[in-house]
Amino acid sequence: MKLHHPLWTHLPALVMVLLMLVALVRVVSLPDPLPVDPDTSQRPDHSGAVCGIVALVFISLSWIGITVVWDELWARLEHRKAFNGWSLMDELVVGMAGGGMLTAFLGRVGAASDFPFSVGFMWFIPAVATAAVLEALRPFRPMDERLSADDTGALEADIAQRTAAGERWTYWEMHNPGWQRAAWLLAAVLTVAATLVPAGELPWQLLAVAGAALGLIVLLRGGLRVAVSSDRVQVRVGLLRFRLFDVKVADITDVRMDEFSPFRESRPLMWRWGAQPRACCLGTRHVVKLQTRQGKQYLIGSDHPERLAAVIGATLRATASTERTEK
Amino acid sequence: MLISISEEDPRPIYLQIAADIKDQIRTGDLSPGDELPSVRELADSLDVNLHTVHRAYQKLREQGVIRMRLGQRAKIAPLRETPPDRESVESQLAGRLQELVTDAFHLGLSKADFLGLAEKLLGSERQGGE
């Protein structure tokens, strides 16, 4: 599989993990119990099992994996090169968790000693700085999104004919890319896993994760659904059919295709709500852009943006034609 | 997916919806595995009663055109390569064809014209046995 975000940008994080492994191999003895969960006073407030040290290595590798996936999605969907700050996430986490905690605990501090945050900074700052340079140097390799070659003329003629005949019609499509389905599934697994922990021992962190996972399920399940009728364009998302956009056809003055970088230009969950243009786009660079009389702009992601644009355009023309006939 | 209903059409609305979906499968606009809007979404879009859409989907499920599972959207079922009960299907279709043939006769359409029309409609298929 061709990667669009080069793996060598993650080298600093991988080097950190290698150093962690070397340090683990060389250690003579580990403090038992292991001091964990330092608070802002730098005093550890909890103790854990010694095997937690080894778990840090696996957690670090997991973070690298998550960042690789995120960066790949970012690179595939950007329509112009932009610095991806999220690519530094693995260096940040691995550096602090691995470097600071691991070297601090390798026999150098006791259970009651202060947590050496300064040691952590010495580890992750060079790693993050190196990763930032590599990210700036990475090549621009967007995904080659080929628009469908289908003839939209027949669809446009169909819309015009049905509108002229006075029929009630709706054009419906769904935009639910694979990564979103995977995110929903992961959220469901996390929620179920959280329920397996006995209630009395449920830490607040796990509750927060479970709550966030439930929120993802509600918000992402089912993807975007776009419904176009002769009088409005509606975009809904999630399990509860949350209505993102509801634009009257009579208010639309222009419809066209446009390009968009969903990972860079809209966060979180690939919606942009406050700034103009408002956008909802999950996994494609080509979107349909609507302009309204009120000066608002909307970007709608679609698996077949050329067809969606053709439908909305045909609706606009049919509506204008009907108004002229009535006058 | 494009679905329309007409007040002028003498058929009940749920039959119009079902026929529209079946026609889009025949022409290839919908393919096996494609998901359909939920009952509520389609009812809202077409401004019809929920039960009307539900009845249309039930009809399609009975005919094996779609599959419905609890908690999931209705999906287009795989196309049949052979009829499940050939004799029964032919008997059912023969009755409806007889009605069409009779109508064509009374409207003055010749046998050749009728066959030509049938071939033209069959030729608009993009999938399914071709």
Side-chain angles (χ1 to χ4, degrees):
Chain A
M1 185 179 74
K2 179 186 172 187
L3 292 178
H4 298 261
H5 196 284
L7 286 175
W8 46 258
T9 57
H10 301 280
L11 271 176
L14 289 168
V15 166
M16 298 287 296
V17 172
L18 194 63
L19 290 173
M20 287 163 63
L21 288 171
V22 167
L24 261 181
V25 166
R26 294 183 60 188
V27 71
V28 174
S29 66
L30 289 167
D32 189 7
L34 201 64
V36 293
D37 291 344
D39 55 23
T40 52
S41 67
Q42 296 187 297
R43 309 287 303 182
D45 62 356
H46 196 66
S47 294
V50 175
C51 62
I53 282 285
V54 180
L56 280 178
V57 178
F58 290 104
I59 290 172
S60 300
L61 287 171
S62 298
W63 268 108
I64 294 174
I66 290 170
T67 311
V68 166
V69 171
W70 181 270
D71 288 351
E72 179 63 19
L73 286 171
W74 175 290
R76 280 170 179 245
L77 297 175
E78 61 181 356
H79 70 275
R80 54 188 170 87
K81 174 115 187 317
F83 186 85
N84 174 17
W86 294 95
S87 70
L88 310 179
M89 192 168 60
D90 50 351
E91 279 77 22
L92 192 71
V93 171
V94 174
M96 275 302 287
M101 295 172 75
L102 185 62
T103 56
F105 293 139
L106 290 181
R108 293 187 185 180
V109 295
S113 299
D114 289 350
F115 181 77
F117 281 112
S118 54
V119 177
F121 288 139
M122 285 170 55
W123 274 75
F124 87 80
I125 286 178
V128 169
T130 308
V133 170
L134 294 178
E135 167 61 22
L137 292 175
R138 74 169 169 91
F140 175 55
R141 288 185 205 158
M143 190 168 58
D144 182 22
E145 263 186 6
R146 295 182 190 278
L147 296 177
S148 168
D150 289 349
D151 178 20
T152 55
L155 185 57
E156 291 171 351
D158 200 357
I159 297 277
Q161 182 188 352
R162 295 186 194 221
T163 305
E167 294 180 5
R168 284 209 304 271
W169 59 266
T170 183
Y171 173 85
W172 184 89
E173 63 171 43
M174 190 169 70
H175 178 52
N176 195 14
W179 74 262
Q180 192 195 19
R181 290 197 292 272
W184 172 85
L185 191 60
L186 178 63
V189 168
L190 286 175
T191 308
V192 169
T195 61
L196 296 177
V197 178
E201 300 174 16
L202 200 63
W204 70 266
Q205 294 92 339
L206 200 54
L207 270 175
V209 168
L214 266 176
L216 276 177
I217 291 170
V218 168
L219 289 171
L220 295 182
R221 175 85 167 98
L224 284 184
R225 281 93 74 192
V226 181
V228 182
S229 63
S230 57
D231 61 342
R232 55 193 339 115
V233 177
Q234 281 191 345
V235 178
R236 293 180 182 270
V237 67
L239 199 63
L240 298 180
R241 302 176 61 237
F242 177 61
R243 194 168 56 188
L244 281 179
F245 300 157
D246 187 355
V247 185
K248 290 181 185 172
V249 168
D251 288 339
I252 299 173
T253 56
D254 187 50
V255 56
R256 62 182 63 196
M257 303 268 295
D258 201 355
E259 284 200 89
F260 186 69
S261 300
F263 277 75
R264 184 175 66 84
E265 299 186 60
S266 62
R267 287 180 299 274
L269 298 176
M270 306 308 115
W271 307 341
R272 186 161 69 184
W273 198 243
Q276 284 287 324
R278 291 186 176 178
C280 53
C281 171
L282 300 177
T284 174
R285 288 199 339 267
H286 291 96
V287 295
V288 175
K289 183 175 179 179
L290 305 180
Q291 175 81 43
T292 68
R293 296 179 198 284
Q294 293 81 14
K296 292 184 179 175
Q297 294 176 335
Y298 300 88
L299 303 180
I300 304 174
S302 170
D303 290 343
H304 300 284
E306 70 290 348
R307 281 158 66 174
L308 181 59
V311 168
I312 298 175
T315 309
L316 285 180
R317 288 189 291 276
T319 305
S321 173
T322 304
E323 286 174 355
R324 279 198 300 270
T325 304
E326 286 174 354
K327 284 177 185 173
Chain B
M1 187 181 80
L2 182 63
I3 290 185
S4 67
I5 54 176
S6 172
E7 304 290 340
E8 309 296 325
D9 194 319
R11 293 175 299 171
I13 290 178
Y14 82 93
L15 284 180
Q16 292 183 49
I17 294 172
D20 223 344
I21 292 173
K22 286 195 285 186
D23 197 52
Q24 289 186 66
I25 297 171
R26 183 182 65 82
T27 57
D29 290 329
L30 287 173
S31 303
D34 285 351
E35 293 188 7
L36 296 178
S38 67
V39 170
R40 184 175 294 276
E41 281 172 351
L42 188 55
D44 283 348
S45 297
L46 287 174
D47 195 22
V48 298
N49 192 285
L50 278 174
H51 298 292
T52 302
V53 177
H54 183 72
R55 203 169 165 192
Y57 280 15
Q58 286 293 338
K59 179 84 177 171
L60 291 170
R61 186 169 75 166
E62 286 165 11
Q63 294 175 339
V65 175
I66 65 173
R67 286 182 176 169
M68 293 169 66
R69 288 183 187 167
L70 190 63
Q72 292 184 9
R73 294 179 186 281
K75 289 184 183 179
I76 307 297
L79 297 173
R80 290 198 189 98
E81 294 186 358
T82 55
D85 178 357
R86 196 177 188 91
E87 278 187 30
S88 169
V89 167
E90 286 184 358
S91 169
Q92 183 188 354
L93 288 177
R96 288 156 70 182
L97 271 173
Q98 179 66 61
E99 195 175 331
L100 284 173
V101 167
T102 304
D103 285 343
F105 170 79
H106 286 286
L107 287 170
L109 207 63
S110 68
K111 178 181 174 182
D113 289 339
F114 182 83
L115 288 173
L117 180 60
E119 279 191 19
K120 182 182 170 187
L121 289 171
L122 283 168
S124 66
E125 289 175 15
R126 290 211 291 269
Q127 67 177 32
E130 290 279 316

